[in-house]
Amino acid sequence: MSAAPEQAFPLPDTTGIGAHYWNALREGRLDYQCCSRCHSAWLPARTECPKCLAAEWTWKIASGKATLISWVIYHHAYHPWFAKKLPYNVSVVQLAEGPRLISNVVAAGTTLRIDMPLQLIIEREADVALARFKPA
Amino acid sequence: MRGNVVIAGVGQTAFGKCPGRTTLSLNIEACRNALADAGVEKEAVDALVVKPPTSNPEFMYGSTLAEAMGLQPRVGGSWDQGGAANISLISFAAMAIEHGQCEIALVTYADNPRTGSRHVYEKAWGDDAAYGWFGVPAGYAMLARRHMEEYGTTSDQLGEIAVAIRNHGAANPNAQLRVPLTLEQYRQSKWVVDPLRRDDCCLVSDGAAAVVLMSAKRAKQMGIRKAVPILGFGQGQTSWEVPLRTDLTSTGAEVSGATALRMAGLTPKDIDVAQIYDCFTITVLMTLEAYGFARKGKSGPFVAGGRLAHGGELPTNTAGGLLSETGMPGLQLVLEGVRQMRGEATLQVKNAQTCMVSNQGGIMHTHSTLILGQWQ
Ligand SMILES: [Zn+2]
């Protein structure tokens, strides 16, 4: 029996410019974009460099080292999929290479604090590879 | 152009639930009341600018509204900037009047998320929904956590903001929520998204408000006695996505407030009463320090001890703001600023000569500031 549509995992859009990012996670890498002209680095995926507007860029592999910028704890599920996870955290994480992303810190029993060092862990959920982090 | 343009009239609908009313109908009622307050005939209006309804944006809404009001204004349209749009539209209309593009402008806004759809406030943030990242409150909670961890801001300090504003709302007969709040009750309030509690969050409301603008010269010619001069305004913006902000505790409120104060020739010490956009308590806290009422990171201690309460050093949101009067974004704060400058507020601040008003939208992404003064 398949789950009702409203209980389905909210799948990210793995087509278009973001396809490479999600495929890389599936292959065990967290890739970010780096401008060929001004060398600025960014996520999420875009067609032009948001700093110098160049359309020439390459994908690079992140080291997986990161720091915790901020986090919140949900006590109410805005989507049925997350009801079983309550309470759960959503965090802003900064990669050592610069780009920032929304993620979850997997740290049962650890007190979170801003600027704490984190390490990438790639976890599968509903057959999607997600970039999560644990205390380093 | 300090003081060259005035708010000549204000109008509103009932706040709270307006079932069965369209936003067009609500806008028209607010405009009708604002024109009557100013003593201006509809036929004299040659500018109509409107913030599109947040919860149900429509194509060319400004033109639809003009048609429903039988207006073909010289200057017209809608401006999409979230909750900052109302003060931004007031500033654009003031500049248009100053430069002869129009003479009498209506700025209006209506929405009905309480009895209509509020889906827009609970949406997912794109692909990040896979991590459980949903809803507007979480965005503000993310800013609040960083402020608390970086500067030692406490939950009780956020609570002091809620207590002051909710108590002001309790005194306002037109407020949607007339229930006062104690710090003890605040502490018992349930988490929405930790670190924000239910009492940190604004109301969801139906309703509309409108203002009439004209030159001070025209207001004098027309003998309008209750006109309120616009002394200054400004705007500022920070990055759209919360995770992409270099500094989570800095926003466009800094440049917006500085621009408005410079135009008005004032400093924060010269401000007698404040109307600060309070979609969430953290928004008030961060806006006050961005405007220079407190140093960066020191807004927590600043709001403690009843400083924002009526009778305090900086009475703030004296009609109850978004937390109590109505959750509709922004214009109610301008209306209360006008009442304070006219000396007609329910919780009137004695001898108030200046009022600073903030509007902001997104997750503190867009910001606009208005400074009102006294009619000479
Ligand atoms: Zn570049």
Side-chain angles (χ1 to χ4, degrees):
Chain A
M1 205 176 94
S2 63
E6 69 271 16
Q7 288 172 343
F9 181 70
L11 290 167
D13 180 5
T14 55
T15 63
I17 187 70
H20 177 102
Y21 176 82
W22 294 105
N23 286 332
L25 281 176
R26 194 170 277 279
E27 292 163 9
R29 306 185 319 272
L30 173 54
D31 284 6
Y32 63 94
Q33 287 169 292
C34 187
C35 180
S36 304
R37 194 202 282 178
C38 78
H39 308 294
S40 81
W42 69 85
L43 281 175
R46 301 175 192 279
T47 50
E48 284 81 27
C49 168
K51 186 164 186 196
C52 77
L53 313 186
E56 298 81 33
W57 44 262
T58 55
W59 285 101
K60 292 199 170 179
I61 303 170
S63 63
K65 290 191 175 70
T67 54
L68 179 59
I69 300 299
S70 191
W71 74 95
V72 301
I73 299 168
Y74 280 76
H75 291 267
H76 156 77
Y78 285 74
H79 182 290
W81 181 270
F82 297 92
K84 60 184 178 286
K85 294 170 178 277
L86 294 173
Y88 70 91
N89 77 68
V90 175
S91 302
V92 174
V93 163
Q94 179 163 356
L95 302 180
E97 294 82 2
R100 289 183 172 195
L101 58 152
I102 286 287
S103 182
N104 311 118
V105 176
V106 182
T110 309
T111 303
L112 298 180
R113 54 181 173 78
I114 56 168
D115 304 328
M116 71 190 283
L118 300 171
Q119 178 61 46
L120 173 70
I121 47 168
I122 295 174
E123 292 190 338
R124 293 234 174 182
E125 185 161 354
D127 205 32
V128 178
L130 297 175
R132 293 198 169 111
F133 291 82
K134 63 178 184 183
Chain B
M1 63 172 289
R2 178 190 198 273
N4 288 359
V5 175
V6 300
I7 296 178
V10 296
Q12 67 182 65
T13 63
F15 295 140
K17 291 182 184 171
C18 306
R21 297 282 301 275
T22 62
T23 58
L24 284 179
S25 165
L26 293 166
N27 265 313
I28 294 170
E29 182 186 343
C31 287
R32 192 170 66 221
N33 293 339
L35 289 169
D37 184 51
V40 169
E41 295 296 324
K42 186 201 85 178
E43 285 63 34
V45 173
D46 59 357
L48 173 70
V49 288
V50 56
K51 166 177 158 35
T54 311
S55 49
N56 188 21
E58 287 174 41
F59 176 67
M60 292 189 76
Y61 186 82
S63 302
T64 313
L65 179 61
E67 189 81 337
M69 293 179 66
L71 289 171
Q72 292 90 42
R74 282 204 275 171
V75 174
S78 63
W79 181 247
D80 180 9
Q81 203 185 43
N86 287 308
I87 284 180
S88 292
L89 285 172
I90 288 172
S91 68
F92 292 148
M95 289 188 278
I97 290 167
E98 173 81 357
H99 293 288
Q101 299 297 303
C102 60
E103 293 188 12
I104 297 184
L106 267 172
V107 180
T108 185
Y109 173 67
D111 203 2
N112 55 4
R114 188 161 178 89
T115 56
S117 167
R118 68 179 76 173
H119 178 70
V120 70
Y121 296 105
E122 296 182 347
K123 69 180 168 66
W125 298 101
D127 289 345
D128 292 327
Y131 297 96
W133 179 234
F134 288 87
V136 171
Y140 285 88
M142 197 67 88
L143 306 186
R145 173 84 64 199
R146 181 76 198 185
H147 203 281
M148 294 166 105
E149 295 289 317
E150 195 169 344
Y151 298 113
T153 303
T154 65
S155 183
D156 271 9
Q157 288 164 345
L158 295 179
E160 295 252 17
I161 295 170
V163 167
I165 296 173
R166 286 278 298 276
N167 289 348
H168 295 160
N172 175 2
N174 297 315
Q176 179 179 333
L177 180 62
R178 300 204 57 202
V179 182
L181 183 73
T182 65
L183 197 54
E184 192 44 49
Q185 286 168 326
Y186 172 84
R187 289 178 185 139
Q188 304 299 322
S189 176
K190 280 190 183 144
W191 295 118
V192 172
V193 181
D194 176 358
L196 294 184
R197 302 174 185 279
R198 190 164 180 275
D199 285 326
D200 289 303
C201 307
C202 72
L203 304 171
V204 176
S205 314
D206 301 339
V211 300
V212 179
L213 302 185
M214 63 178 68
S215 68
K217 194 175 160 192
R218 178 76 175 260
K220 285 218 166 78
Q221 284 167 356
M222 290 179 68
I224 294 174
R225 269 183 244 154
K226 298 196 290 186
V228 170
I230 293 171
L231 303 185
F233 45 76
Q235 292 182 47
Q237 317 215 14
T238 189
S239 83
W240 170 233
E241 300 268 10
V242 170
L244 301 190
R245 284 181 205 169
T246 315
D247 180 0
L248 258 56
T249 58
S250 289
T251 70
E254 290 166 28
V255 65
S256 178
T259 304
L261 285 164
R262 194 182 322 118
M263 179 177 166
L266 300 173
T267 70
K269 283 195 195 74
D270 302 316
I271 302 298
D272 298 321
V273 55
Q275 311 297 332
I276 305 295
Y277 199 94
D278 54 339
C279 49
F280 299 90
T281 51
I282 183 64
T283 318
V284 178
L285 189 126
M286 285 174 57
T287 302
L288 288 173
E289 62 186 38
Y291 281 0
F293 289 103
R295 285 215 307 279
K296 176 88 189 271
K298 301 290 184 193
S299 217
F302 179 82
V303 301
R307 194 179 251 121
L308 306 189
H310 185 245
E313 193 179 308
L314 185 68
T316 297
N317 299 7
T318 41
L322 281 77
L323 289 174
S324 284
E325 186 179 26
T326 166
M328 64 167 283
L331 267 182
Q332 78 279 48
L333 301 172
V334 176
L335 266 57
E336 174 64 3
V338 166
R339 289 190 293 263
Q340 287 287 352
M341 292 302 94
R342 287 174 172 183
E344 293 176 351
T346 303
L347 292 179
Q348 182 64 41
V349 175
K350 270 187 194 160
N351 305 318
Q353 302 290 307
T354 56
C355 180
M356 195 161 180
V357 192
S358 83
N359 273 187
Q360 64 98 54
I363 311 292
M364 299 196 79
H365 159 59
T366 58
H367 197 99
S368 55
T369 311
L370 184 69
I371 301 176
L372 302 173
Q374 286 289 321
W375 189 230
Q376 303 300 330

